[in-house]
Amino acid sequence: MAETHSLQDMRQQAAVAAKVFIQRDYTKGTVCQFQTKFPSELETRIDKQQFEETVQTLNNLYAEAEKLGSQSYIEGCLACLTAYTIFLCMETHYEKVLKKIAKYIQEQNDKIYAPRGLLLTDPIERGLRVIEVTIFEDRS
Amino acid sequence: MSAVMITRKVRKWEKLPGKNTFCCDGRVMMARQKGVFYLTLFLIVGTCSLFFAFECPYLAVHLSPAIPVFAALLFLFVIAMLLRTSFSDPGVLPRALPEEATFIEMEIEAANGNVPAGQRPPPRIRNVQINNQIVKLKYCYTCKIFRPPRASHCSICDNCVDRFDHHCPWVGNCVGKRNYRYFYMFTLSLSLLTIYIFTFDIIHVVMRSVDNGFLNTLKITPGTYPFKL
């Protein structure tokens, strides 16, 4: 019988040992950025470099989402002129990047964090306030 | 042997602990008191339909048919913006789950130290530096979170809303980050519509007076119907 390694199974079988919350980093203003400081509770579980890289990529993705360029300006003007009915056909740039972020987190969880007994929660589920890292009990 | 249980997936809006009402499978999100919103809708639709019924035929014939067409487009835009503002999520912040709430409480206790019994504990504030300015983030006792800058708790809807402006009873919803642009477009376009209708009402009365004399105009225009009855 092949053993499937799915996150749902892990969540149901493994007990939660602790949760770490990565807070927002306001040094660059009110833009959505998270602190890249490595929390001490994860020292035994994951590489510092790896974790900081994940958070830095997330920060870059959020910066890309909130970027004000000519594309977002045109999108805004077009939307206003059509009484926002255009969003029945297409989605906003911000929503597109949020989907990219969700996919990235899923991918990171599958490849890196789940094998180490960790789980990253998408910050949008927590209102972009924290990145919640769930630490599962080590059964190895 | 595990029993297969097919359970309906519980949607997020069904679990939201605030005082909101939801319709259309979670697509519509409003506050509980909707009476004033129905009044707003009635006033806008009522006055515009009177304009279209009584003034537009005269104006379309004597001035230009573009006038009622533009008024209709503006009216549809106003209604679209009003419905968009009323029905959309203002930017409600999800409440802290139990683990996060206890984590924050432990942090606060560590920061405050021991408070002797009988004394009120100091207010829960977190200082954050944003662009070389210290901003105090307040703790919300209902939602159990430190509110981000410019967020506030709406007592009518019982939610913390990001970039909270105010709770608008006319619109039947809070105005916050996610629906501010629709609210602003609504007020702007409604002002435009009001000015537009008022201007053309004046023009209509003036044009009729020029033809028939002012007193006769008052007799034939619908404003006098209540007096006749």
Side-chain angles (χ1 to χ4, degrees), chain A residues 80 84, chain B residues 77 81-82 85 165-166 171 175-176 179-192:
Chain A
C80 185
Y84 297 94
Chain B
F77 188 78
M81 290 296 105
L82 171 64
T85 312
D165 191 55
H166 68 289
V171 153
V175 176
N179 64 355
Y180 193 81
R181 65 179 65 187
Y182 310 123
F183 180 73
Y184 185 69
M185 293 310 308
F186 166 64
T187 47
L188 212 62
S189 52
L190 186 64
S191 312
L192 218 71

Side-chain angles (χ1 to χ4, degrees), chain A:
Chain A
M1 221 188 313
E3 218 172 66
T4 48
H5 187 73
S6 100
L7 290 168
Q8 264 78 357
D9 290 342
M10 260 199 84
R11 241 177 272 154
Q12 282 158 15
Q13 291 166 16
V16 177
K19 286 197 183 188
V20 190
F21 301 97
I22 314 294
Q23 302 292 326
R24 281 276 293 269
D25 176 19
Y26 288 110
T27 53
K28 289 196 200 138
T30 50
V31 199
C32 184
Q33 300 277 287
F34 291 94
Q35 292 177 355
T36 49
K37 191 172 83 71
F38 186 62
S40 50
E41 292 92 338
L42 299 177
E43 255 161 36
T44 53
R45 295 292 193 116
I46 193 165
D47 205 22
K48 178 174 161 164
Q49 193 71 17
Q50 185 68 63
F51 181 78
E52 283 184 3
E53 197 193 298
T54 308
V55 182
Q56 193 54 49
T57 315
L58 280 175
N59 281 345
N60 293 341
L61 284 169
Y62 280 116
E64 189 199 318
E66 294 181 20
K67 190 171 70 117
L68 297 170
S70 58
Q71 205 227 336
S72 55
Y73 178 74
I74 293 169
E75 192 184 77
C77 286
L78 189 67
C80 185
L81 289 173
T82 61
Y84 297 94
T85 52
I86 199 158
F87 292 138
L88 296 166
C89 319
M90 65 176 234
E91 50 178 22
T92 64
H93 170 69
Y94 191 79
E95 280 169 358
K96 283 194 196 117
V97 182
L98 277 187
K99 280 206 178 145
K100 219 161 86 167
I101 290 171
K103 223 172 68 162
Y104 174 74
I105 289 180
Q106 176 76 23
E107 185 198 330
Q108 290 281 295
N109 272 334
D110 286 336
K111 287 205 286 212
I112 301 166
Y113 291 88
R116 293 174 169 78
L118 298 170
L119 182 71
L120 287 179
T121 310
D122 196 341
I124 198 79
E125 309 256 330
R126 302 283 174 261
L128 293 180
R129 290 181 300 108
V130 289
I131 303 177
E132 192 179 291
V133 185
T134 315
I135 305 172
F136 291 102
E137 258 174 36
D138 203 358
R139 295 188 302 145
S140 57

